[in-house]
Amino acid sequence: MHETNLALSVLIFSGLFMLATCAAISLRALRIPYTIGLVVIGIALGLLAPHSVFLAPILKVHLTHDLIMYVLLPVLIYDAALNIKLPMLCNELIPVLLLAIVGVVLSVLIVSGLLGYLTPLTMTGALLFGALISATDPVAVIALFKEVGAPERLSLLMDAESLFNDATAIVVFGIVMTVIQTGNGVNNGNLLVSAVWDFFRVFVGGGIVGALLGFGTSYLLRLGRNIPFVQISHTTILAYASFILADHLLGVSGVMSTIAAGLVTRAYSTKVLSEPVQKYLSPYWAFMSFVANSFVFLLLGMQEDILFQDLDKYHGHIAFLLLAISAVLMARLLVVYLLIPVSNRLPKSPFVDNATKAVMFWGGLRGVVPVALMLSIPVDIPERNIVIHMTLAVILFSLLVQGTTISQLITKLGLSKPA
């Protein structure tokens, strides 16, 4: 029985990966972003599979919190970190951290305030949704901006913000979950102090863990300098170990840990990596990222099937889904157009022009990380279902509307022209 299940699992994996590779060829010919096309294909699979004997086995595959956080996300984050130029990141650190920290908190307050007032959601339910949806998603942002060929500085701003704001979102989400489960008031002074401490512990602690693991792995890379496959294997181990040790065992940010590990690897690459590995490391991680992205967006599309299946049951909530989309867009608009002018006035902060602000607003995509947080909501939370439906609606709009038009916006604003 176990052998049969394993064979079926491998066959399903191979079939979905073959579908993704063929889709990559077709979508490039059609000039449709690969990630967006996979979401549409995933939705179609989710709708057709229950009515097809041939497709029925794929119903056994679905996104889970652990699959996202511990299998797919480490690969994508580490690949992104390897491609970040540290001097450029340091130069853009003020606007990035302002958006990633203050921006997420402001977005949570705006989204939860609007939905708490305009919908039947309680304030705690609105805060729960605001916390999980307010951070721009690193997987969706990095994948799409790489595809559309966004300018280097714009890509760095968006990529770095979407990576760093993960720590803020997780802390806020955790605080709201604690409030809901314990019944403590949100105005509790001790809760605010605890929130500030938790943020620095999660954010800075994750960076320290990843840096230490990165330095330790650099020593191993030096020892294996003449064995290329061992060096590449060590970078793979580092990607997963930095995320899982930080997030699962130490309770700090896995994303920050993997970012730090990737930055250390890049900084020491010329000193510890052999020439063949320096040449092939980037293509190897590009392939790993392609595999992870393929399954992330296919399965994300299949996850959206929940929304379509339940529309009849929750038809009275369709207006609330539209309000959720509007609230998230409004929050992103206010965050970008309030905080970037503040950043522009700060000393040693690089100026961000209006065209870049427009793309940062419209390019604030939501994707798989909100799904991971959504799936972690306990089933006994009364408003869990409506929060799930609002989350899926926002993600669907984000990918299929914003994701398909961001390239045209970049071109129209003249940002696709070389400097």
Side-chain angles (χ1 to χ4, degrees):
M1 180 62 70
H2 294 296
E3 292 178 356
T4 302
N5 288 339
L6 181 59
L8 181 60
S9 299
V10 173
L11 186 61
I12 292 172
F13 170 86
S14 302
L16 289 175
F17 195 32
M18 175 61 76
L19 176 63
T21 56
C22 293
I25 298 171
S26 304
L27 293 169
R28 171 167 289 191
L30 296 172
R31 297 186 178 181
I32 297 173
Y34 168 68
T35 51
I36 307 301
L38 283 185
V39 172
V40 176
I41 293 171
I43 293 172
L45 286 176
L47 294 174
L48 294 174
H51 310 289
S52 169
V53 176
F54 178 72
L55 295 176
I58 68 170
L59 295 174
K60 300 178 182 292
V61 184
H62 52 85
L63 281 178
T64 65
H65 173 271
D66 288 356
L67 176 62
I68 295 169
M69 299 297 285
Y70 303 134
V71 178
L72 301 172
L73 198 55
V75 171
L76 298 167
I77 299 299
Y78 189 78
D79 176 57
L82 285 178
N83 289 291
I84 291 178
K85 296 178 180 178
L86 191 57
M88 287 186 65
L89 175 62
C90 293
N91 189 49
E92 305 288 351
L93 206 54
I94 292 176
V96 165
L97 291 182
L98 196 61
L99 291 169
I101 299 172
V102 180
V104 170
V105 174
L106 181 59
S107 179
V108 171
L109 296 176
I110 294 170
V111 171
S112 59
L114 288 172
L115 294 181
Y117 178 74
L118 297 173
T119 72
L121 281 177
T122 62
M123 187 50 67
T124 50
L127 280 169
L128 187 65
F129 173 72
L132 69 85
I133 205 66
S134 287
T136 55
D137 181 59
V139 177
V141 171
I142 292 169
L144 186 63
F145 272 64
K146 186 185 295 185
E147 276 193 80
V148 302
E152 187 175 28
R153 188 198 176 197
L154 176 60
S155 291
L156 177 69
L157 283 170
M158 294 296 297
D159 293 357
E161 180 206 351
S162 64
L163 288 169
F164 289 146
N165 64 21
D166 174 72
T168 311
I170 289 176
V171 170
V172 175
F173 182 80
I175 291 169
V176 176
M177 283 299 304
T178 301
V179 169
I180 293 174
Q181 294 177 321
T182 63
N184 292 331
V186 292
N187 295 322
N188 191 326
N190 293 331
L191 187 63
L192 180 61
V193 174
S194 175
V196 174
W197 164 246
D198 278 348
F199 170 74
F200 284 104
R201 179 183 62 81
V202 170
F203 193 90
V204 179
I208 292 173
V209 169
L212 291 175
L213 290 172
F215 286 123
T217 303
S218 295
Y219 177 73
L220 290 176
L221 291 172
R222 192 185 299 275
L223 292 179
R225 188 176 179 88
N226 297 321
I227 316 176
F229 290 114
V230 168
Q231 288 196 312
I232 291 178
S233 298
H234 282 155
T235 65
T236 309
I237 295 167
L238 176 61
Y240 281 105
S242 60
F243 194 101
I244 296 173
L245 287 174
D247 184 271
H248 188 64
L249 295 181
L250 301 177
V252 294
S253 173
V255 171
M256 283 303 303
S257 178
T258 306
I259 292 171
L263 291 174
V264 169
T265 303
R266 181 184 174 102
Y268 282 85
S269 61
T270 57
K271 299 178 182 178
V272 299
L273 297 179
S274 62
E275 290 187 9
V277 175
Q278 291 182 44
K279 181 178 180 181
Y280 293 113
L281 188 65
S282 181
Y284 167 76
W285 278 104
F287 166 72
M288 291 288 284
S289 180
F290 171 76
V291 175
N293 269 319
S294 297
F295 283 93
V296 160
F297 288 99
L298 264 178
L299 296 178
L300 182 58
M302 293 170 62
Q303 191 79 37
E304 291 285 350
D305 181 49
I306 296 174
L307 183 62
F308 293 105
Q309 285 180 349
D310 293 346
L311 276 181
D312 291 337
K313 182 179 177 182
Y314 294 100
H315 67 276
H317 290 163
I318 293 177
F320 304 147
L321 304 185
L322 297 176
L323 282 173
I325 294 170
S326 302
V328 171
L329 287 174
M330 177 62 70
R332 180 64 182 174
L333 180 71
L334 291 174
V335 164
V336 171
Y337 282 90
L338 288 177
L339 296 185
I340 291 298
V342 172
S343 172
N344 285 341
R345 287 175 171 79
L346 294 176
K348 297 184 179 180
S349 178
F351 184 80
V352 179
D353 58 33
N354 289 330
T356 301
K357 282 190 286 188
V359 176
M360 292 181 73
F361 155 61
W362 195 243
L365 306 180
R366 273 66 177 180
V368 73
V369 172
V371 172
L373 296 177
M374 172 193 84
L375 294 172
S376 70
I377 301 174
V379 294
D380 59 348
I381 298 295
E383 297 171 313
R384 182 178 186 268
N385 286 341
I386 185 61
V387 168
I388 287 176
H389 285 84
M390 290 194 301
T391 302
L392 293 174
V394 170
I395 291 172
L396 192 64
F397 178 88
S398 171
L399 294 175
L400 297 190
V401 178
Q402 293 173 259
T404 56
T405 55
I406 191 67
S407 177
Q408 292 90 328
L409 179 62
I410 291 173
T411 302
K412 185 174 182 179
L413 294 174
L415 293 176
S416 59
K417 298 176 182 177

